[in-house]
Amino acid sequence: MPGPVQSIQRGAAILRLLARSSGKLGVGEIATSLGLPRGTAHGLLRTLQLVGFVEQDSATGKYQLGAALLHLGTSYLDVNELRSRAINWADALAARSCESVKIGTVLDGQVLVVHHVFRPDDTLQTLDVGSLMPMHATALGKVLLAFDSGAGAALGNGPLEAFTRRTIVAPKDLTRSLAGIREVGWAAQVEEMTVGEAGIAAPIRGHGGLVVGAIGISGAVERICDAKGQPNTALVTFVRDAARAVSRDLGAARW
Amino acid sequence: MATRYVMSIDQGTTSTRCIIFDQQGRLVSVTQREHRQHFPQPGWVEHDAVEIWRNLERIAPEALRQAGVGLEQVAAIGIANQRETTLVWDRNTGVPLRRAIVWQDTRTTALVDELAARPEASMVQKRCGLPLATYFSAPRIRWLLDDVPGLRERAERGEVLFGTMESWLIWNLTGGPDGGLHLTDVTNASRTLLMDLTTLEWDDDLLDFFGVPRAMLPQIRPSTETYGVARTVLPGVRIGAALGDQQAALFGQTCFAPGEAKCTYGTGGFLLLNTGKDPVRSTHGLLTTVGYQVGAEPAVYALEAPIAVTGALVQWFRDGLGLINSAPEIETLAKTVDDNGGCYIVPAFAGLFAPHWRSEARGVIVGLTSYITKGHLARAVLEATAWQTREVVDAMNADSGLDLRVLKVDGGMTADNLLMQCIADVLDVPVVRPMVAETVSLGAAYAAGLAVGYWPDLEGLRRNWHRAAQWLPAMDPARRESEYDNWRRAVERTFGWLQPRR
């Protein structure tokens, strides 16, 4: 087993130091207190600032604990902020795929639609923002279940509601399906919610790779899937590219 | 043949952005860099034009890299810019004489009062379509000529040049001191107070009135035309368009027919209505301005209603009051309550713009009771933007004799669903958001692409416009009327707050 990670220990020490000091601390004070080279302390502080755990006063340059630490247990990214950061990429995905785009997050065991872009054919469509969808029967929901280990708890252990004859209803089948989604990094549903409709979705990640939502397209099964009933690979690529672009904007480094 | 793209440069108030678009008008890559805001005195706002140029030098190649696009694949560059921001620089060294004076700057208040008292002052609005106000460039040029020793003489000899931000960037892109092109487009020129709105030329009487030497002014050109070829940053790429940012948004929303209007919601709000080939003179406090000019075709005019404070009120809620951590959270907070609880905020932070034009007004929060929570305040913040839109739409309907049937919106605040629904409710017309929310950049790209034949015509551009979202009015008419009445009474309470110094 590998030993403790030094930079995490040092980061924790910085947070403890800031928590017990009455005012804000400068990088020099922090370095001296912890016996660290100034450059090392600065690097750690910059990283902690990036994830929102510390904040820097723009006037004095001194540091204090960040607001993100205060609501660490609750929502990590405001859904309206998520929409605002994702809007350009969601538009681009709709334009490329010629399908409607939705972004979802988890709310009480369901998918909350936080953003919706119309299919770009100028037909009459209604904005679905604020509506709730079942997790096990939608591509967005399955992505959220696959990458958020807490999200599945609300589903319970019994059989799941069937919307069509293709809905996954047995918990063990769902578990297998989620493992596959984790492996490939995206999810699809084909007529699992509504007959004639299909969808593709991929995870949106924030700092450190934490999944904060899912972005996906949905539409008529003959447009989303190829002749063999498999999701169209070009569309899968568009969805994954959009998810990556949003994740990059949110600060997820590797995706 | 390799796919080709168009690059837009949006030189805005807080940042400079480069966006690459493909032929369907889809966004391919975005890069952005903020510049510093300098506030040397109360009411003064300045930008370092060299910093802005350096930012462009960085982000333009970065946008190409991100998109995996080579220089030879860029069909043209289009520029949109913050309007009325005034810069004077040395023709021989390329060094600005001062920092740029930003459109929000009110240092010329006394000078404008003095000018307005002159008998010829009534000529200004007739000739250029704009009221004599600190908002526009000419008083700033005059202020610089008076303030910098020897500047007037050097300006008369043509040693120093004036320009708004598009002129500065084009001059630098095309070689700077080494033969850089000194030009502006009709939309930007129409915001100086120095251009005759019908001839689209600098006007001698206006130049005399403001005391601005003609030798320092750029040449006025159409909004879309190949001005020249960049020699640096994007060497070899044609520069095909320049437009003021709000006019660029009108173009990006493809409001090409008279009666079509858009509203851009950023720091401030800007409603522009296409009025066709003839300028419409406002009797309800709106500005008459050039919308765009495509090549040698006649100019298309617009009525404009600037709202000084829209997103800036949300920023104040975040930074000044600290009630939210990020601007989008205003919606989360506003949704914790069902209505405004009887509370109204009128953000007359520096007076009110259209349709009131009250420089002495200051902001108010009215209807406070112990019942009011921060959720109600958040709602009042969003409603302030909606009601201010209603006021200018009413003015526009009255001036143009047309009834607005649908409002096309864009800008960062269109991500706020509650606000968009609220605007549809108070206007009682559908509000639609296009698929590309970055309409300022898109408009600049469209205009540039049109100039070089990347897009064939305006109709072709129209086909690229798609509805991304729509909000339908769903407010009880009686409630709309009573809320509007409350809003109007709140606005009246801002009037006359600032008193003349005794």
Side-chain angles (χ1 to χ4, degrees):
Chain A
M1 197 179 128
V5 180
Q6 191 185 43
S7 55
I8 292 186
Q9 288 182 317
R10 287 172 167 175
I14 289 178
L15 294 178
R16 289 215 170 89
L17 185 68
L18 288 169
R20 75 176 182 220
S21 86
S22 51
K24 296 169 185 171
L25 297 178
V27 60
E29 295 168 277
I30 293 167
T32 314
S33 303
L34 300 176
L36 292 175
R38 197 185 159 89
T40 308
H42 189 244
L44 290 163
L45 282 162
R46 286 285 296 273
T47 306
L48 288 168
Q49 189 181 3
L50 198 69
V51 300
F53 285 8
V54 310
E55 285 170 6
Q56 188 179 21
D57 187 306
S58 56
T60 64
K62 293 191 169 195
Y63 294 89
Q64 62 180 338
L65 289 185
L69 267 186
L70 302 176
H71 34 83
L72 198 53
T74 57
S75 177
Y76 148 76
L77 183 68
D78 182 274
V79 295
N80 293 310
E81 173 142 24
L82 173 60
R83 181 191 316 114
S84 168
R85 304 276 286 270
I87 195 163
N88 281 339
W89 302 114
D91 280 353
L93 175 57
R96 273 199 191 105
S97 65
C98 298
E99 297 295 345
S100 82
V101 172
K102 289 193 177 92
I103 292 177
T105 57
V106 181
L107 183 74
D108 301 331
Q110 291 185 285
V111 181
L112 171 69
V113 178
V114 299
H115 185 47
H116 176 192
V117 184
F118 290 168
R119 192 173 57 250
D121 59 6
D122 298 323
T123 55
L124 190 65
Q125 294 164 69
T126 319
L127 213 52
D128 274 341
V129 174
S131 64
L132 293 165
M133 304 190 302
M135 296 197 79
H136 66 284
T138 57
L140 290 174
K142 288 200 280 184
V143 164
L144 295 168
L145 283 172
F147 293 98
D148 180 348
S149 36
L155 294 183
N157 296 318
L160 300 157
E161 187 182 349
F163 297 97
T164 69
R165 61 183 182 81
R166 303 183 79 168
T167 310
I168 303 175
V169 289
K172 68 169 177 18
D173 293 341
L174 184 61
T175 306
R176 197 179 320 121
S177 163
L178 297 181
I181 291 164
R182 276 190 290 272
E183 202 165 297
V184 297
W186 56 275
Q189 68 83 11
V190 180
E191 302 191 282
E192 291 164 47
M193 179 72 209
T194 310
V195 173
E197 283 187 17
I200 301 167
I204 298 173
R205 295 173 186 274
H207 285 298
L210 198 64
V211 172
V212 295
I215 183 169
I217 58 174
S218 54
V221 66
E222 60 272 20
R223 294 196 308 262
I224 301 287
C225 296
D226 61 21
K228 282 180 251 158
Q230 293 301 306
N232 179 314
T233 50
L235 292 179
V236 171
T237 306
F238 290 152
V239 170
R240 300 189 73 192
D241 285 350
R244 270 192 217 103
V246 178
S247 302
R248 218 172 24 236
D249 273 7
L250 289 173
R254 285 181 298 130
W255 282 274
Chain B
M1 200 180 120
T3 317
R4 301 181 80 210
Y5 302 89
V6 174
M7 178 189 274
S8 73
I9 298 167
D10 174 11
Q11 203 302 295
T13 308
T14 56
S15 72
T16 305
R17 293 147 63 83
C18 281
I19 301 189
I20 293 180
F21 291 97
D22 67 12
Q23 199 139 17
Q24 281 76 47
R26 300 178 302 207
L27 191 143
V28 180
S29 74
V30 187
T31 52
Q32 171 169 8
R33 215 174 155 78
E34 293 192 0
H35 52 264
R36 270 189 69 188
Q37 308 288 317
H38 298 270
F39 305 103
Q41 290 185 36
W44 291 33
V45 189
E46 300 178 348
H47 292 160
D48 180 347
V50 174
E51 181 188 1
I52 288 173
W53 168 247
R54 298 256 177 271
N55 286 350
L56 179 66
E57 285 183 316
R58 264 175 85 149
I59 63 171
E62 214 173 284
L64 291 176
R65 252 197 317 279
Q66 247 188 43
V69 167
L71 267 181
E72 69 292 346
Q73 286 172 271
V74 182
I77 313 165
I79 301 174
N81 58 288
Q82 54 168 324
R83 305 174 302 172
E84 300 110 6
T85 293
T86 302
L87 184 69
V88 174
W89 69 91
D90 187 311
R91 181 196 287 270
N92 296 311
T93 63
V95 178
L97 275 87
R98 288 285 178 89
R99 283 199 289 247
I101 306 178
V102 179
W103 59 274
Q104 298 141 321
D105 187 293
T106 54
R107 76 182 65 185
T108 57
T109 305
L111 174 63
V112 165
D113 288 346
E114 199 182 299
L115 289 166
R118 290 215 231 138
E120 325 89 274
S122 63
M123 161 217 30
V124 174
Q125 183 146 15
K126 278 192 214 113
R127 204 66 65 88
C128 73
L130 306 172
L132 179 50
T134 59
Y135 183 23
F136 308 106
S137 310
R140 295 195 182 105
I141 307 176
R142 171 61 182 273
W143 187 92
L144 284 164
L145 290 168
D146 291 347
D147 197 64
V148 181
L151 183 60
R152 177 171 296 281
E153 293 69 32
R154 298 187 63 204
E156 278 162 0
R157 289 198 298 268
E159 293 169 16
V160 294
L161 304 176
F162 152 77
T164 37
M165 296 319 284
E166 84 295 354
S167 301
W168 167 246
L169 296 182
I170 292 170
W171 188 79
N172 278 293
L173 280 170
T174 53
D178 183 18
L181 300 172
H182 187 220
L183 49 93
T184 183
D185 93 296
V186 280
T187 66
N188 277 295
S190 80
R191 315 293 292 186
T192 55
L193 299 174
L194 298 173
M195 189 186 83
D196 182 321
L197 198 58
T198 48
T199 65
L200 308 177
E201 295 291 342
W202 300 123
D203 181 88
D204 283 324
D205 294 334
L206 290 169
L207 294 180
D208 279 351
F209 179 79
F210 288 102
V212 172
R214 187 181 271 271
M216 74 190 301
L217 298 179
Q219 194 191 359
I220 303 177
R221 302 283 284 270
S223 320
T224 88
E225 183 188 48
T226 305
Y227 304 130
V229 172
R231 288 168 56 191
T232 176
V233 185
L234 300 158
V237 182
R238 289 173 289 184
I239 305 173
L243 298 119
D245 51 12
Q246 295 309 321
Q247 281 88 345
L250 187 74
F251 209 82
Q253 286 270 27
T254 65
C255 293
F256 298 139
E260 292 185 326
K262 69 87 202 177
C263 194
T264 303
Y265 293 99
T267 309
F270 295 88
L271 180 65
L272 269 77
L273 171 79
N274 182 325
T275 62
K277 307 269 187 276
D278 300 304
V280 172
R281 307 284 172 169
S282 174
T283 52
H284 295 85
L286 305 177
L287 310 177
T288 311
T289 196
V290 180
Y292 54 87
Q293 186 188 13
V294 175
E297 291 173 30
V300 169
Y301 293 89
L303 269 177
E304 171 176 329
I307 304 167
V309 174
T310 53
L313 182 58
V314 179
Q315 283 161 17
W316 172 76
F317 206 71
R318 182 192 63 195
D319 303 333
L321 298 185
L323 288 171
I324 46 175
N325 288 313
S326 70
E329 280 177 39
I330 189 93
E331 186 177 352
T332 313
L333 186 56
K335 275 190 166 157
T336 60
V337 294
D338 294 328
D339 57 29
N340 61 23
C343 178
Y344 300 83
I345 302 179
V346 185
F349 287 172
L352 288 168
F353 284 5
H356 306 288
W357 297 104
R358 293 281 198 142
S359 57
E360 88 298 347
R362 284 299 177 271
V364 296
I365 303 179
V366 293
L368 285 180
T369 59
S370 56
Y371 171 73
I372 299 298
T373 64
K374 57 185 178 179
H376 296 115
L377 291 175
R379 226 168 235 269
V381 162
L382 295 179
E383 289 179 2
T385 289
W387 288 118
Q388 291 188 99
T389 308
R390 170 69 192 262
E391 289 183 315
V392 295
V393 166
D394 284 358
M396 216 154 250
N397 286 342
D399 268 337
S400 66
L402 301 163
D403 261 342
L404 187 74
R405 298 246 179 82
V406 56
L407 183 67
K408 292 178 167 180
V409 295
D410 53 79
M413 286 180 102
T414 57
D416 192 316
N417 280 285
L418 185 61
L419 173 63
M420 294 302 112
Q421 182 59 51
C422 187
I423 293 171
D425 283 343
V426 309
L427 295 183
D428 198 19
V429 299
V431 168
V432 297
R433 179 178 84 78
M435 196 121 299
V436 177
E438 304 292 342
T439 48
V440 170
S441 296
L442 185 64
Y446 276 174
L450 207 57
V452 300
Y454 182 74
W455 283 294
D457 52 22
L458 298 182
E459 269 318 302
L461 296 177
R462 244 186 218 287
R463 280 193 293 276
N464 279 344
W465 190 97
H466 296 294
R467 189 164 46 213
Q470 169 163 272
W471 294 268
L472 300 173
M475 194 184 211
D476 169 53
R479 183 149 165 264
R480 181 183 301 122
E481 278 319 300
S482 74
E483 285 293 309
Y484 195 13
D485 184 56
N486 287 344
W487 168 260
R488 278 186 292 222
R489 290 188 301 128
V491 169
E492 278 166 26
R493 275 157 179 78
T494 68
F495 295 166
W497 179 254
L498 221 58
Q499 293 187 334
R501 225 173 268 153
R502 267 175 283 197

